[in-house]
Structure formats: C-alpha cells, structure tokens
Amino acid sequence: MQQRSRDTRKQIIEAAVALFCEAGYEAASVADICDRAGVSKGAFYHHFPSKQALFLDVLEDWLGRIDAQLFSPSMIGGDVPACILNMAEMLGFVFREASGRLPIFMEFMVQASRDQAVWNAAIQPYRRYQNRFAELIANGQKSGSIKENLDPHLVARVLVSLAAGILLQAVVDPRAADWEKVTREGIRMITEKIRRSS
Amino acid sequence: MQQRSRDTRKQIIEAAVALFCEAGYEAASVADICDRAGVSKGAFYHHFPSKQALFLDVLEDWLGRIDAQLFSPSMIGGDVPACILNMAEMLGFVFREASGRLPIFMEFMVQASRDQAVWNAAIQPYRRYQNRFAELIANGQKSGSIKENLDPHLVARVLVSLAAGILLQAVVDPRAADWEKVTREGIRMITEKIRRSS
C-alpha cells in the first residue's frame, strides 16, 4: 500500500473509532465517518466494503495488540504466579493506553451478542485468550507453582472475568476508583489463592 | 392504577425489554414497541413520557429487585464469608431468571457511558451496591471473620468486578462455560483469601 493510501486508511479508522465511542456503532453512519475523517465516500469504500468490515478490522487490530502484549515471550517466561501478576500490571497499561476508547470494548460485546459476524470475529480471539490462560495455569501446575487440585479452565475464566468486569466498570465510572489498583490487588488475591506454597 | 391499565403497562414493558434485547435500545422505536405490545401510541405515552423514561423504569425495577434479593435480612445475617458465598449462589439464580434478558444489562452500561440521564439512574444503585458490599466487609472485620488489613472498598470492588465480568461473558458466550459454577468458585477463591482463619 502507498503511504498516502495508508494515511487515508488510518484517518478513516481514527474517525470511526472516535465516533463509535461518542455516538455508538449503530448511530455512526459511513457519511459521518467520512465527514469526520475528511475523506470521500469513494475513498471509504476503496478501503472497507462496509461499516461492519471496518468495525471488525478495528476489533481484530485491538485484540491482536492486547494478545501480543500479554503473551509476549518476555511476559510468559518464568514462574507462573509472577507471570500472572505481570499481566495485571500490563492491564493497567492497557487502561492508560485505551482510556477514552474503552466504550468500544462494550460496543463490541453488545454487537457480538446480536450479530453473528461480529460474534464470530470477537469469539475466536476471546476463546484463544481463554485457552492461553488455561495453558499457562496448566504449565504452572506441571512446574509446581500452582496448586494441582484446580481446573485450569475454571481458574482462567475467573481471571478473565475479573479483568473484563473491571474494564466494564472503568468505562462506566472511570473516576470511582483507582482501577489499576483494583486490577493489581484483585488479581493478586486470586494468584495467592492458587499459588502452591513452597 | 386500574387492573387494565396495569396490564397495558406490563405489556408495554415486556415488549420493550424483548425488543431492546433483540435489536438494541437505539434501534427499537416507540412504534416498534407499540406494534409488539399490541397497544396504541396514545396508550404508550399515557404510561411513559418517552422511550428513555421506559428504559429508566426497567433499569430501576431490575436493579431494585437484585438489591432486594441480595441484601434481604435473611441473606446478610450471620457470618460474613458465609453470607458472601450465599450471594454467589443468588447470582446463579439471577442468571437463570434473567437468561435471555441479560443483553439489556450491557445495553444499560453502554447507554450509561453516553447519556447523562441513564448514567445518573444507573450509577446511584451501582454505588449503593458498592457501598453495601463495603459495609458488609467492614462488618466482617469488626466481628472478626474478615482479615483486618484489607480495604473494604477495594475488596467490594473486586467482588463486584468479578460478578460483572461473569455477567458480561455469560451474555456474549452463554454456552462456553457453566457460569454459575464460575461464579461460585471465583467468589469462593476471593472469600477464602479474605477470611480470617480462626
């Protein structure tokens, strides 16, 4: 792709993300996105076949980046409980990075519950996370740092649920709490509970 | 209110909840709701000044019922850790009761992040929960069943976050897990972690 074409694509995505956050996916039209990005409808449809295609692209990009950050080799090396605590710190970083963009997280979830295409796009990376966390827990059990009598998938679901619930509340009531601290302390409680004392 | 008027009101609410779940709050018009309920627009506006007023009414009713169930005198009597575990069972009950209606939970949250009136209506009961959970933890500290070196508000946020995250995932991927079990086991991990061993 030419540099200019890449710039246009980026402008469209940034305008769309801003509008999805402010007005919602349903309310933001392709015309609104073009207006905001300062591009023609022709340019829009050159890059994306539809608003939904753009939406799915944003979703894939966002989930892919979180994935890459959370499960980078430097993150998942070493002791498993320490690794989970590192991930909790990383989630704090995701909060700071995303800040105003967090409502999109919920938009994705709501769309996913109603639209099969969005659901398919959202559910695959989500199940991948879930499985990777479960693998991590299972590895901890093998290497002796996590208690053996636990179901790795159940522990993974509890960890993912806690993180998702904190994200949800950070969107709705960002100033109610120090959400990074809630993340760190909450994940720590569960981690200490599942850690095998040496 | 006359019985017939109450029936009409109930019909309107049921039609609106079904449409909000299926199509979303934005997409469901007053005309759609009236069609589904089999009532005239005149009847609708006799009961509700606007779609938003109906939405807020549904929200208040829903949160009020959860509130009454969770914090009933029979629930919050006795040992605090046992009480929290009872509440986790109750959440399982809420899942079964709500099932198809859960998408509305997210609709509320998304609307709340965008609309001041919805935010005000959602945030007051939410903060009330938060405070009630924190009070419960503080009571447990006073009566010796919860560790003293914990911030009651932080513990309450972790518990509420876990429950909210499980709800969120149960909406998006209801069949992925036994969400009642995830609730029970997740809350139990945290409860055992904060319980003061006697």
Side-chain angles (χ1 to χ4, degrees), chain B residues 21-96:
Chain B
C21 286
E22 288 166 26
Y25 173 76
E26 289 293 344
S29 69
V30 170
D32 296 334
I33 297 170
C34 292
D35 264 7
R36 179 107 167 207
V39 304
S40 67
K41 280 208 179 183
F44 182 97
Y45 287 112
H46 173 70
H47 287 281
F48 302 100
S50 65
K51 186 174 78 166
Q52 191 184 70
L54 181 155
F55 191 68
L56 295 180
D57 208 71
V58 170
L59 172 60
E60 205 179 293
D61 180 60
W62 198 57
L63 291 172
R65 269 186 296 144
I66 296 180
D67 213 25
Q69 286 184 320
L70 276 183
F71 295 99
S72 69
S74 70
M75 284 295 292
I76 60 168
D79 179 62
V80 170
C83 163
I84 296 170
L85 295 175
N86 277 341
M87 285 175 169
E89 293 298 326
M90 185 60 89
L91 203 67
F93 178 77
V94 172
F95 281 140
R96 279 196 304 275

Side-chain angles (χ1 to χ4, degrees), chain A residues 21-164:
Chain A
C21 287
E22 289 167 25
Y25 173 76
E26 289 293 344
S29 69
V30 170
D32 295 335
I33 296 171
C34 292
D35 263 7
R36 179 108 167 206
V39 305
S40 68
K41 279 206 177 182
F44 181 96
Y45 286 111
H46 173 71
H47 287 281
F48 303 100
S50 64
K51 186 175 79 166
Q52 191 184 70
L54 182 153
F55 190 67
L56 295 180
D57 208 73
V58 170
L59 171 60
E60 205 179 295
D61 180 62
W62 197 58
L63 292 172
R65 270 186 295 143
I66 296 180
D67 213 24
Q69 285 185 321
L70 276 184
F71 294 99
S72 69
S74 70
M75 284 293 292
I76 59 166
D79 178 65
V80 170
C83 163
I84 296 170
L85 296 176
N86 278 340
M87 285 177 168
E89 293 298 326
M90 185 60 88
L91 202 68
F93 178 77
V94 172
F95 280 140
R96 279 195 303 276
E97 272 255 286
S99 59
R101 298 178 169 217
L102 281 176
I104 283 210
F105 168 77
M106 292 210 302
E107 196 75 40
F108 285 141
M109 296 295 120
V110 172
Q111 288 301 325
S113 74
R114 295 209 180 98
D115 183 317
Q116 192 65 39
V118 178
W119 194 82
N120 289 338
I123 215 68
Q124 295 310 331
Y126 162 72
R127 290 189 174 161
R128 203 169 57 224
Y129 282 146
Q130 180 58 46
N131 287 332
R132 283 182 170 212
F133 274 114
E135 270 171 40
L136 190 66
I137 302 296
N139 285 343
Q141 290 178 316
K142 269 180 228 143
S143 61
S145 56
I146 303 279
K147 285 176 189 157
E148 278 181 349
N149 63 339
L150 295 168
D151 172 358
H153 283 279
L154 188 82
V155 173
R157 291 212 181 274
V158 170
L159 289 167
V160 171
S161 295
L162 180 60

Side-chain angles (χ1 to χ4, degrees), chain A residues 1-11 47:
Chain A
M1 216 187 288
Q2 299 286 316
Q3 180 61 39
R4 205 177 127 196
S5 178
R6 272 202 300 272
D7 289 349
T8 304
R9 192 187 162 85
K10 205 173 152 225
Q11 271 171 289
H47 287 281

Side-chain angles (χ1 to χ4, degrees), chain A residues 19-27 103-107 109-110 112-114 119 122-123 126-127 130 150-151 154-155 157-162 164-166 168-169 171-179 181-182 185-190 192-194, chain B residues 19-27 103-107 109-110 112-114 119 122-123 126-127 130 150-151 154-155 157-162 164-166 168-169 171-179 181-182 185-190 192-194:
Chain A
L19 278 171
F20 291 160
C21 287
E22 289 167 25
Y25 173 76
E26 289 293 344
I104 283 210
F105 168 77
M106 292 210 302
E107 196 75 40
M109 296 295 120
V110 172
S113 74
R114 295 209 180 98
W119 194 82
I123 215 68
Y126 162 72
R127 290 189 174 161
Q130 180 58 46
L150 295 168
D151 172 358
L154 188 82
V155 173
R157 291 212 181 274
V158 170
L159 289 167
V160 171
S161 295
L162 180 60
I166 291 173
L168 183 74
Q169 291 180 83
V171 175
V172 177
D173 205 357
R175 281 184 295 264
D178 178 344
W179 293 111
K181 190 176 174 192
V182 176
E185 296 297 316
I187 298 288
R188 198 167 56 81
M189 279 181 197
I190 294 169
E192 287 176 1
K193 184 68 201 155
I194 64 174
Chain B
L19 279 171
F20 292 162
C21 286
E22 288 166 26
Y25 173 76
E26 289 293 344
I104 283 210
F105 169 77
M106 293 209 301
E107 196 75 38
M109 296 297 119
V110 173
S113 74
R114 295 210 179 99
W119 194 82
I123 216 66
Y126 162 72
R127 290 189 174 160
Q130 181 57 46
L150 296 167
D151 172 358
L154 189 82
V155 173
R157 291 213 181 276
V158 171
L159 288 167
V160 171
S161 294
L162 180 60
I166 292 174
L168 183 74
Q169 292 180 84
V171 175
V172 177
D173 206 357
R175 278 182 297 261
D178 177 345
W179 293 112
K181 189 175 174 191
V182 177
E185 294 300 315
I187 298 286
R188 198 168 55 83
M189 281 182 195
I190 295 169
E192 286 176 2
K193 183 70 201 152
I194 64 173

